[in-house]
Amino acid sequence: MKVLIGVDPHKASLAVAAVDEASGELLERASFPQDRTGLRALDRWAKRFPERRWAVENAGGLGRHLAMRLAAASESVVDVPSKLSARVRVLSSGNARKNDGVDALATALAASRNERLAQVEPEAASEALRLLSERREDLVVERTRALNRLHGLLRDLVPGGVARTLSADRAARTLRSIRPQGASTRLRRQLASEVLRDVRTLDRKIADLNERIGAEVEASGTTLTQIFGVGPILAATILGTVGDVARFPTKAHFASYSGTAPLETSSGEVVRHRLSMAGNRKLNYALHMVATCQARSEVRGGAYYRKKIDEGKSRKEALRCLKRRISDAVFRSLVTDSRAPSRSVA
């Protein structure tokens, strides 16, 4: 009998539910502490089901440790998005009641009804790119926050304030021109100098990380960078977010995942579509950046963008059409990469 084990992970515990894959019948529920002792107990419990596979809710978050541990032990593991398991829980029970055991069962049922869930790999080539991309995003957020603090301090030091676009060099020139009068002004200038040093430090870290990401992307051998508007940073974001492209049977499935496929809202004889706010927003943003770049060009995507405007579409609608076109190109590139001889990511 083939068994699917659904896992609802928490910081301190793991709720699991074993179901018969063929019938969807609940076989057993259990709960284990999420520590070394609990994980060993979970291993012993799971061995009672020789033909098993796992469905871990949010395998990229609270379930990451368990999912990677299972994958390293050659277990079959899929990642179930939290929204999907929540939707299955409501549809299966008919109400919004929940507890850990119900969530684990919903996770298992969601995996049994969906063949396009991401397979968790022990050492996915895209994992390094995902980690580096997330680190870069964190540094950029910190730099933006520091620049906002610096802008606020300079606003109170310079008559009329400073330009909205602020760089470390411009802030340094502004600080050198200030002759503080009074204790509070001197303190404000001192704090601005300290924040400026933080900004310069973050600039160096981001620059170093950009070089590292560029080297990783080049080592991956991806053809994504051949798409106009896709540089190493966006390529790393796309590769790290998508992972294994084989889970998408067609470009339409990939477009649905990226949020570039419009949703049909037809009724009766009225046929219409609306913008999809579903899908992976990080991937959608990356495609949006590529579309914005192409729309400004004179060739390639720019010509297609202007053609759609000439057909009567608004600028936003034309950009959405271009995003879908780019989504298809990215999907083709990823499929091509997956079929090429593998190259290790250092």
Side-chain angles (χ1 to χ4, degrees):
M1 178 175 58
K2 294 184 178 180
V3 174
L4 181 58
I5 302 175
V7 183
D8 179 36
H10 297 275
K11 288 184 178 180
S13 64
L14 297 166
V16 297
V19 301
D20 183 344
E21 282 217 60
S23 64
E25 178 187 357
L26 175 64
L27 301 176
E28 190 173 338
R29 283 196 180 107
S31 180
F32 302 91
Q34 185 154 210
D35 54 25
R36 291 182 180 180
T37 303
L39 291 175
R40 285 195 293 267
L42 174 60
D43 288 340
R44 291 192 297 271
W45 177 84
K47 286 178 180 177
R48 297 160 52 205
F49 310 106
E51 294 187 63
R52 63 183 178 271
R53 67 188 185 101
W54 300 75
V56 179
E57 182 181 89
N58 193 19
L62 286 175
R64 177 180 294 280
H65 178 78
L66 175 63
M68 296 302 291
R69 186 176 186 272
L70 293 171
S74 300
E75 298 275 355
S76 176
V77 190
V78 294
D79 178 15
V80 180
S82 301
K83 288 184 178 180
L84 178 60
S85 59
R87 188 178 301 122
V88 170
R89 184 188 72 242
V90 174
L91 293 175
S92 299
S93 63
N95 57 61
R97 297 173 186 169
K98 69 184 295 296
N99 55 50
D100 294 347
V102 171
D103 287 346
L105 176 59
T107 300
L109 294 176
S112 67
R113 300 168 185 175
N114 194 318
E115 299 178 354
R116 295 191 293 111
L117 295 176
Q119 192 79 20
V120 178
E121 302 292 342
E123 290 294 337
S126 59
E127 183 69 5
L129 292 173
R130 184 189 67 80
L131 292 172
L132 291 174
S133 294
E134 289 181 353
R135 172 58 176 163
R136 185 182 184 278
E137 290 173 10
D138 291 341
L139 291 176
V140 169
V141 170
E142 290 182 29
R143 181 183 183 275
T144 301
R145 189 180 297 115
L147 279 174
N148 288 339
R149 288 198 296 268
L150 182 58
H151 196 284
L153 291 167
L154 292 177
R155 178 194 58 209
D156 296 332
L157 286 169
V158 179
V162 293
R164 292 183 62 182
T165 304
L166 188 64
S167 65
D169 291 339
R170 177 176 294 181
R173 289 194 298 269
T174 302
L175 282 174
R176 286 195 294 268
S177 67
I178 296 174
R179 299 294 180 267
Q181 301 292 328
S184 62
T185 304
R186 285 193 295 272
L187 177 58
R188 187 170 282 109
R189 186 182 187 281
Q190 179 184 351
L191 293 175
S193 297
E194 293 176 0
V195 175
L196 176 58
R197 285 195 293 272
D198 294 340
V199 172
R200 291 193 183 280
T201 299
L202 290 168
D203 282 341
R204 288 192 297 271
K205 289 182 177 180
I206 293 172
D208 292 342
L209 202 53
N210 287 345
E211 291 183 7
R212 188 173 179 183
I213 289 174
E216 295 280 357
V217 169
E218 183 178 359
S220 72
T222 182
T223 57
L224 279 176
T225 50
Q226 297 176 13
I227 300 175
F228 185 79
V230 179
I233 303 302
L234 288 179
T237 300
I238 294 171
L239 290 170
T241 303
V242 174
D244 184 10
V245 73
R247 60 193 172 108
F248 303 106
T250 66
K251 63 183 180 181
H253 290 88
F254 182 78
S256 178
Y257 175 73
S258 66
T260 56
L263 297 178
E264 185 175 2
T265 57
S266 304
S267 178
E269 297 180 355
V270 179
V271 179
R272 59 189 175 189
H273 296 78
R274 68 171 176 83
L275 174 66
S276 171
M277 295 305 293
N280 187 291
R281 305 319 298 171
K282 184 179 294 187
L283 177 59
N284 185 277
Y285 178 74
L287 297 179
H288 178 81
M289 296 298 292
V290 180
T292 302
C293 177
Q294 289 197 9
R296 295 171 179 169
S297 68
E298 295 298 325
V299 293
R300 299 176 184 265
Y304 177 82
Y305 172 75
R306 285 183 288 276
K307 174 186 173 184
K308 289 298 178 181
I309 292 178
D310 293 339
E311 291 175 357
K313 295 187 180 295
S314 67
R315 293 183 180 274
K316 286 186 177 180
E317 291 172 336
L319 194 64
R320 290 171 194 162
C321 292
L322 180 57
K323 281 175 67 175
R324 173 55 191 272
R325 185 184 175 105
I326 292 170
S327 173
D328 293 346
V330 167
F331 177 73
R332 288 194 299 270
S333 179
L334 292 174
V335 170
T336 300
D337 293 346
S338 67
R339 295 172 179 170
S342 61
R343 294 175 61 179
S344 61
V345 180

